[in-house]
Amino acid sequence: MVREKISVSTRTLQWKCVESRTDSKCLYYGRFILSPLMKGQADTIGIAMRRALLGEIEGTCITRAKSEKIPHEYSTIVGIQESVHEIFMNLKEIVLRSNLYGTCEASICVRGPRCVTAQDIILPPYVEIVDNTQYIASLTEPIDLCIGLQLERNRGYRIKEPNNFQDGSYPIDALFMPVRNVNHSIHAYGNGSEKHEILFLEIWTNGSLTPKEALYEASRNLIDLFIPFLHAEEENLHLEDNQDKVSLPLFTFHNRLTELKKNKKKRALKYIFIDQFEFPPRIYNCLKKSNIHTLLDLLNKSQEDLIQMESFRMEDVKKILDILEKHFAIDLQKKKR
C-alpha cells in the first residue's frame, strides 16, 4: 500500500494519488485528490468524472461461444460438472487486457479429466488474461472440450438478446467496463469568500488497467467530447458589427453548409453529426454500424457505397438524398471518383 501526506496549494490546481493498492489480480484501488477548487467546482468535476470512468472507458470481453457438443444453452454435457449456462457465466467473468479494435477469435481445446481455467484459453498475441487462475469448468471424464470464442472491445454493458444465435454460437452477457466502482467526496475549507474545496476520487478497477490509467483515459475521453464546442465560434456565421447582440443557435445549417462544402472546409463538416438529422431509426442504425457518424463521413460515401451496406436499400438512399436536399441543397456522388 502506498500513502502520501496530503498537501494543499492555494495557488495552482494540482492532483495527487494519495493511496494505491492491489487487493487481488482483478481488483485495484486508487484514491486521488484535486485541489484547490472554488465552491461548487468539486461536485461538477466529480459527477462528470464518475460518469466518464464508468461509461466512457473501453474494455475487452468474451461475447460469444460456440461448440458442436452444445445442443442448447441450458443443457448439460456428460463428463462436465457444470451446465452449459454455468460455463458461460464463468466465461463472462474472465478479465482480459488488449489493444484490440473490433472483434477477434479465441478458443479452448482440452481433454479431461481436469480442471479448465482461463490459462487454457488460446488467445491472439495482442490479448492477455489478467488472472490465469479464473475457473471455467471441471471435466470429470476423459472427454474433449472444444469451444470457439469471440472477443470484442467495447464500452458499457451489453445484455444478450434472446434467440441471438449466429452459426450455432451463443451470445454471452458482456461487462466491458474496466472500472468497477467510483466514489467522489468533497472537503471544504476556508471562510467566507476564501472558501475552497478538495475533490477526493476513489476508483476500483478489474485489473485490466490501473486506477491511474483509468483516470487518464476517462479525462481524455471527457475532453474529446467537448472539443466540438471549442470550435462553435468558428462554425457560426460572422455577424456584422451592428448585429453583435443577436444570438444564433450553436449549429447554423441552412446555406452555411453549402458554402462550407464549396470552400472545402471539411473541418466544419465533421462537427455536424447525423444524430441531428431526421433519419428513420433503421437508416440511422445502418449508418452508425458502418462508422458513418458525421456529415463529412456521409458526403465521402457514394450512392454505390451506401447500397452495398448491409440491410441498406435503394429507397433508403433516396430518403437520405431527400433529407440532404431539404436541408442543404446538396447531393451525394453518383460514383466514386
Side-chain angles (χ1 to χ4, degrees), residues 159-212:
I159 300 176
K160 62 182 179 182
E161 299 178 4
N163 303 319
N164 184 16
F165 308 117
Q166 298 176 1
D167 302 325
S169 65
Y170 297 87
I172 298 175
D173 290 340
L175 183 64
F176 296 106
M177 301 155 55
V179 176
R180 289 295 185 241
N181 192 23
V182 180
N183 286 336
H184 84 275
S185 57
I186 301 168
H187 171 70
Y189 65 96
N191 296 313
S193 59
E194 298 298 323
K195 198 167 186 179
H196 292 86
E197 295 177 341
I198 303 175
L199 172 65
F200 289 83
L201 272 175
E202 293 181 290
I203 303 172
W204 289 262
T205 69
N206 65 359
S208 62
L209 76 175
T210 66
K212 185 177 179 180

Side-chain angles (χ1 to χ4, degrees), residues 94 116-122 129 131-136:
I94 303 296
V116 183
T117 65
Q119 188 174 4
D120 297 307
I121 302 176
I122 303 172
I129 297 171
D131 184 2
N132 285 325
T133 65
Q134 285 186 274
Y135 179 79
I136 296 176

Side-chain angles (χ1 to χ4, degrees), residues 3 14 44 61-62 78 126 151 185:
R3 290 183 180 271
Q14 297 180 340
T44 300
C61 290
I62 299 172
V78 176
Y126 46 84
L151 313 181
S185 57

Side-chain angles (χ1 to χ4, degrees), residues 314-329:
M314 189 63 195
E315 50 266 37
D316 297 330
V317 176
K318 185 177 184 303
K319 181 67 175 177
I320 292 176
L321 292 173
D322 290 342
I323 291 175
L324 292 178
E325 176 66 27
K326 174 184 174 182
H327 286 284
F328 313 116

